[in-house]
Amino acid sequence: MFPQEAAKRDAARMTQGHAVYRQYCADCHGDRDPVTGSWVNGPQTGVVVPVSTLKTDPERVMFRHYDVLAGAMFTVFPSKHPFHFAREDIWPQPGEENDLSIRGYVNAPLDGMFLRAPYLHNGSVLTLAELINLKKRRDVFYRGDNTYDPVDVGFRSPDAPDARNYFKFDAAVRGNSNKGHDYPWAYEDLRRNPDDLAALLEYLKTL
Ligand code: HEC
């Protein structure tokens, strides 16, 4: 995709990054098989992680009517409609609609991650470097420019934003929190190892 970036790749760095990924990420997200090139789910892929564990923004699964949405979706769309999913694939599951403690977000495969910025379900993190806490997450940024950043992987926020051309994203607004998902380490964690994180970022670029 980005030949200049790919040319800089170094095999030892990639091995280091892959080891970090296997240790801290692959259980939940799965990994790409280096031989076949296809995605292999991990033991926890497809599982919903409660918001209380993940600590990303809760509004997406706590809003009023969330409890009735899955059932309504299942009954409203006729069986041949593309939005008619199997009932077990739509959360919350029958009988679990009112259990707030299990509401959360699903562990999904990360293939093609470089194409999927901004990150998290609410798009609150602009780059992968920030998502893995290699860099501090920006609390305010501007969308609308969409210049791609192949180094940090994601979008750049313009240096000279103006209200007319850009949308201001403020993580302090309800529903916009950029907190949580502090894997492998939170930014403030004393165990945080920037060298391992830089190697991890290089590996993520290949997914
Ligand atoms: C306990 C399971 C778990 C672990 C461990 C975990 N993640 Fe995640 N990850 C999730 C969940 C759940 C989400 C969705 C969170 C959301 O959208 O609020 C997510 C979201 C992501 C996203 C954003 C996906 C998108 O489409 O926006 C990326 C990238 C990611 N994780 C990378 C990683 C990396 C790299 C690691 C290892 C350092 C890791 N994750 C460890 C569960 C996990």
Side-chain angles (χ1 to χ4, degrees):
M1 257 308 161
F2 298 99
Q4 299 97 322
E5 290 304 308
K8 288 188 231 153
R9 240 169 242 158
D10 140 6
R13 209 65 183 137
M14 206 51 75
T15 308
Q16 181 188 356
H18 196 181
V20 177
Y21 183 87
R22 268 202 300 264
Q23 183 174 354
Y24 296 107
C25 322
D27 265 14
C28 284
H29 290 293
D31 196 0
R32 194 176 283 293
D33 184 314
V35 180
T36 65
S38 44
W39 195 264
V40 182
N41 287 343
Q44 300 294 318
T45 309
V47 170
V48 173
V49 186
V51 162
S52 56
T53 305
L54 202 63
K55 301 195 162 53
T56 58
D57 194 278
E59 296 292 336
R60 174 69 184 76
V61 290
M62 292 300 178
F63 67 88
R64 195 156 67 113
H65 307 317
Y66 181 85
D67 52 339
V68 293
L69 192 65
M73 221 182 144
F74 185 69
T75 42
V76 162
F77 293 108
S79 58
K80 290 206 169 58
H81 194 281
F83 287 165
H84 185 87
F85 301 107
R87 185 61 187 87
E88 61 268 27
D89 290 340
I90 327 176
W91 287 278
Q93 297 292 304
E96 296 180 345
E97 290 91 341
N98 296 314
D99 186 352
L100 299 188
S101 70
I102 59 168
R103 287 195 191 178
Y105 302 105
V106 66
N107 293 334
L110 297 183
D111 45 342
M113 242 320 128
F114 66 97
L115 289 169
R116 287 151 64 177
Y119 299 100
L120 294 181
H121 69 273
N122 58 359
S124 59
V125 181
L126 268 187
T127 63
L128 283 182
E130 288 164 273
L131 185 77
I132 62 174
N133 294 320
L134 172 62
K135 292 198 169 170
K136 204 166 173 39
R137 295 182 190 169
R138 281 167 282 188
D139 292 326
V140 174
F141 54 80
Y142 292 83
R143 295 297 320 282
D145 184 12
N146 290 353
T147 310
Y148 193 79
D149 179 347
V151 178
D152 287 349
V153 187
F155 289 125
R156 288 205 177 101
S157 181
D159 296 329
D162 62 86
R164 190 151 169 263
N165 293 310
Y166 298 103
F167 171 78
K168 179 182 179 185
F169 187 102
D170 183 348
V173 171
R174 184 175 174 191
N176 282 4
S177 169
N178 59 356
K179 299 275 185 290
H181 191 284
D182 285 321
Y183 305 112
W185 309 284
Y187 193 81
E188 304 75 25
D189 192 326
L190 296 176
R191 291 166 300 177
R192 182 174 156 277
N193 179 335
D195 188 63
D196 274 351
L197 293 177
L200 173 64
L201 180 62
E202 291 313 303
Y203 181 68
L204 293 177
K205 289 177 184 176
T206 68
L207 294 181

